[in-house]
Amino acid sequence: LGTIAGCYVSDGIIKRNNSKIKVIRNGKCMFDGKIKSMKHEKDEIKESKQNHECGILAEGYNDFQAGDKIECYEIIQKARTIE
């Protein structure tokens, strides 16, 4: 299955679909990739909001350690308008 990071969302929202995460340890980016699964207790969830807890399973990363920070971001593509 893999290593699941127990997380507390300190700011914003983490969305499972279309989101990516960065695992930061001692100021260095250890991983930059996709969320494979996100749960609250035993339930699969689509998002977790500020001041809530969740478990995150990253796609292809199993080296979470206590004290790691996880930053979540979305890449949004917009159509360019030509004037």
Side-chain angles (χ1 to χ4, degrees):
L1 184 69
T3 304
I4 297 170
C7 303
Y8 176 80
V9 182
S10 60
D11 187 31
I13 298 173
I14 296 178
K15 296 180 182 179
R16 183 185 69 207
N17 296 338
N18 303 322
S19 291
K20 290 192 168 193
I21 57 170
K22 287 184 181 182
V23 178
I24 310 295
R25 182 180 304 143
N26 298 323
K28 295 180 183 176
C29 181
M30 305 303 290
F31 173 77
D32 188 352
K34 294 182 181 181
I35 297 172
K36 184 174 184 179
S37 174
M38 197 163 77
K39 294 188 177 188
H40 177 73
E41 295 180 0
K42 296 196 181 235
D43 300 322
E44 189 74 27
I45 58 174
K46 292 183 180 181
E47 66 179 33
S48 186
K49 297 180 181 179
Q50 185 173 348
N51 299 324
H52 288 87
E53 296 177 341
C54 65
I56 293 177
L57 179 62
E59 195 171 287
Y61 185 74
N62 293 314
D63 191 31
F64 292 109
Q65 294 183 8
D68 285 350
K69 294 185 190 262
I70 298 176
E71 295 178 355
C72 182
Y73 65 96
E74 262 183 295
I75 297 174
I76 300 172
Q77 294 182 351
K78 289 186 174 184
R80 182 187 287 180
T81 57
I82 301 174
E83 295 180 22

